[in-house]
Structures are given as structure tokens and as C-alpha cells.
Amino acid sequence: MSEPILAVRDLVKRFPVGRSGIFGAPRQFVEAVAGVSFDLQPSQSLGLVGESGCGKSTTARAIAGLLQPTSGSVRLGGAELVGLSRRQMLPHRRRMQMVFQDPYASLDPRQSVESILTEPLTIHRIGRPRDRRLRALELLEDVGLSPKHLSRYPHEFSGGQRQRIGIARALALEPDVILLDEPVSALDVSIQAQVLNLLIDLQARYGQSYLFIAHDLAVVRHLCQRVAVMYLGRVVEIADRETLFSSPQHPYTRALLSAVPEPDPHLERTRQRIVLGGDVPSPMHPPTGCAFHPRCPDVARVPDGRCARERPLLLPLADPGRGPASRACHLPHEPPARGGLGAHGPGPGAVSSAP
């Protein structure tokens, strides 16, 4: 495997909660991201999935430098980004851009489309005004919009068109990595398909890598070659798409896949659902040991209460003939058989652990 374009190691982000007085020290911390590690290869799409509040968006913002990580390492093309000042970070921003979830809030309503698309070029002092305008026209063509849209303002567009403008803005500097924070979750299903197909076409044309954050496993399976599953700020499983969907190795991943409707009515009626008990623990008071153990249906299979005492490490799994995979779990690993849970692929629907 080639050198990763983006390497994240032990990324941690804590937020202070409550202070003793106006200028006092924080009383507590919320650990939104608790030691996330993964690699993103050139021209690859990596899906980051999990329940709402598990830290997916915070991870992306910490990688992009929109939030300062508490600790850890983020290396883009071999260059360390954590700890850089805004001035030092500027040249690296050309190589990594972000598309946000809400197409209505991510565009400045006072700027025209031309201003939105040329602003990154102006900040990085790329080209002359005429060259920037030509580049904006090229970007509109790339995302399927008309040149006549260049003088319009965001309120004149639909949600799908606004997200296309957001994607065009991310492409303006020809980045190596694009962080996509649930870019289709606010769109209608038919528009979602158009935007997803646009992202696939753009990646095939320009070869950028995607970190794709979503809670819809059907969307992730359509777009991503590899998938990382997060729970309470930690990555609990990473595998290639077919391995994860056919033979998930972590109990939480199995529960996520079992919650997604099957398109085949017969399979939907006969398959067994995994319903998790209790609620997601508070990140202010995470459980000791494995964060998932209070809700895990397999916790009794691990002797000596190890799940409650010892945090499992994300370790590689060796299965002949299968892609590289890792899992953070104390359960003994059994080489999976083909055709396991999710072998037919999830149908449309959001990830949920509700019955």
C-alpha cells in the first residue's frame, strides 16, 4: 500500500465545561474525540460512520484545523499540521478543503457565486482577476451549473444547487483531500443521488481523496472503498467496504448494520435485529474500559470483567484472502464466513440503534 496522503494518529479533542468563576479553570472536560487513528490513501474514499454525537464532525474539524486538537498528530502528505499557526497553516489549506453539511449556512448570502468561488484564489494569490473568473466558470461547469449562475446569490438556488457550489468552492484550489461532513444529509433523496454521483465523477476525473462523514450506511457503501466506525469518540472498527458489510467484526458495527432496512421484503421479515439496550453514555463521564461494554450484547462472552476494566486497542485482524481490517474489542477473533450480516447491502435509511 502506498504512503497515505492523510495520516491521523491518536487524535484527541477535549472541550472545557463549566468554570469556577469567570476566569477560573474548567471544572470538567468533554472528550469529544478520544484517540482516533486512521490512514487515507491517495484517490481513496474513507467513510466515517456512527451515531449522532460520536465525534465524527469534530474529528473532521480538528483535522482541518478549524478546531485546535488537544493532542495527537495529523500529517498531510508527510507534513505535521497539529500545532501550526494560522500563517503556517495557510499553504497546507490549499491541499485540504472541506464541504459542510448545511448548504444554506455554509455560503455567505452577501457574496455572489463568482465572489464565493474566486475568494480562495484571491486569498492564496493565484492568478489575475480575469484568470480567477475563468476558473470560476470552469468550476461551475464541473459541478453541472450554468455560467449564467455566476452573478447570482445563494438565496436564488435550491439546496442541491447550493451544495454543488460548496463542492465547487472546495475544488477551486485543486486539493489533494476533501473532508465531506454529511454533505447530502440535508438534501432530498433524489438530489442526494445526483450529488453522490457528482462526487464520484469528480474523484475519477481529478483523483482527490475523500474523508466522507455520514450516518447513512447505504450512502457510505455507494461512495467509499473503506469504512471506519466510531463510537463515543473512538474508532472501533476499520475495514474495506465489502469486508465490513458482509462480515462486521465489532458488536457495535453489527448493531448498526442490523438497524438498516433490507430492500428485500423476505429478508427484512426474517432477519434478526440487534437492539441495543440503554442510551449512549455521556462523553463527560465515559465508562471505564471499553466504552461500548454497558450496551454490548456480547459482553458476557469475555471473562473476568475485562471489558469494564481495560480499554481495547485498535489492532489489525489477519484473515487470509480478505482486505486489511482492524478492530477494538476483547472478544476472541473468529475468521468470518462470507455472506454474513449485511451481505446484501443496506437499503436506504439512517443508522439507528432504536428498536
Side-chain angles (χ1 to χ4, degrees):
M1 189 171 290
S2 61
E3 189 73 18
I5 188 65
L6 179 67
V8 179
R9 294 290 180 272
D10 299 319
L11 188 67
V12 175
K13 178 58 184 177
R14 299 187 183 97
F15 294 97
V17 178
R19 294 182 181 272
S20 53
I22 298 177
F23 302 105
R27 295 175 180 172
Q28 289 180 304
F29 288 88
V30 173
E31 196 168 50
V33 180
V36 167
S37 299
F38 60 81
D39 290 336
L40 178 61
Q41 300 295 329
S43 302
Q44 184 189 69
S45 295
L46 173 67
L48 193 59
V49 304
E51 293 170 293
S52 296
C54 70
K56 305 184 299 294
S57 296
T58 303
T59 298
R61 290 173 180 269
I63 291 171
L66 301 179
L67 295 172
Q68 184 63 38
T70 304
S71 63
S73 171
V74 177
R75 301 185 69 87
L76 178 63
E80 180 60 59
L81 304 185
V82 174
L84 296 183
S85 66
R86 291 185 63 182
R87 182 183 295 274
Q88 293 169 328
M89 187 69 178
L90 187 61
H92 299 290
R93 293 197 185 280
R94 289 187 59 175
R95 302 188 62 190
M96 182 165 57
Q97 293 289 298
M98 190 164 181
V99 177
F100 297 91
Q101 177 179 0
D102 189 351
Y104 293 91
S106 61
L107 301 179
D108 189 340
R110 297 169 296 180
Q111 288 186 303
S112 67
V113 171
E114 180 177 359
S115 179
I116 290 171
L117 297 183
T118 58
E119 185 178 36
L121 303 173
T122 303
I123 292 173
H124 290 272
R125 301 178 181 179
I126 298 174
R128 298 180 178 181
R130 182 175 180 276
D131 299 325
R132 295 167 190 164
R133 179 180 174 84
L134 292 175
R135 175 62 175 154
L137 290 170
E138 292 175 0
L139 291 167
L140 285 180
E141 182 179 357
D142 283 344
V143 298
L145 295 177
S146 169
K148 66 182 181 182
H149 293 146
L150 201 61
S151 60
R152 296 185 182 178
Y153 288 79
H155 71 272
E156 300 179 76
F157 296 94
S158 67
Q161 289 174 321
R162 291 190 191 199
Q163 199 62 293
R164 288 173 183 264
I165 295 169
I167 293 170
R169 178 178 59 185
L171 289 170
L173 298 173
E174 301 179 0
D176 298 318
V177 176
I178 298 181
L179 310 177
L180 298 151
D181 186 9
E182 303 205 36
V184 298
S185 63
L187 307 178
D188 293 337
V189 174
S190 60
I191 306 301
Q192 286 185 17
Q194 295 176 17
V195 173
L196 288 173
N197 290 332
L198 171 64
L199 291 170
I200 292 172
D201 292 342
L202 291 171
Q203 187 179 50
R205 193 183 313 170
Y206 297 115
Q208 65 270 15
S209 300
Y210 293 153
L211 177 62
F212 189 86
I213 295 168
H215 60 270
D216 190 330
L217 287 172
V219 170
V220 170
R221 186 168 193 179
H222 182 66
L223 184 75
C224 301
Q225 292 87 40
R226 286 182 65 76
V227 183
V229 181
M230 284 189 70
Y231 182 80
L232 206 65
R234 297 180 172 93
V235 173
V236 296
E237 184 170 0
I238 303 178
D240 68 80
R241 173 176 55 198
E242 296 308 318
T243 298
L244 186 129
F245 280 94
S246 64
S247 300
Q249 292 299 294
H250 195 281
Y252 178 63
T253 309
R254 296 190 190 109
L256 288 184
L257 290 176
S258 78
V260 180
E262 280 281 0
D264 187 323
H266 176 70
L267 289 175
E268 178 64 22
R269 286 193 301 268
T270 58
R271 70 177 182 145
Q272 183 178 0
R273 289 283 304 274
I274 301 175
V275 180
L276 300 180
D279 297 322
V280 179
S282 168
M284 289 181 62
H285 305 286
T288 58
C290 174
F292 185 58
H293 86 266
R295 306 174 70 199
C296 181
D298 298 321
V299 67
R301 293 175 54 194
V302 181
D304 304 325
R306 187 182 179 192
C307 293
R309 294 184 288 102
E310 182 181 336
R311 175 183 170 184
L313 301 176
L314 187 67
L315 299 175
L317 301 173
D319 290 320
R322 304 177 72 85
S326 300
R327 182 190 68 164
C329 186
H330 292 308
L331 286 170
H333 172 55
E334 300 174 359
R338 289 291 186 183
L341 185 65
H344 299 276
V351 170
S352 170
S353 60

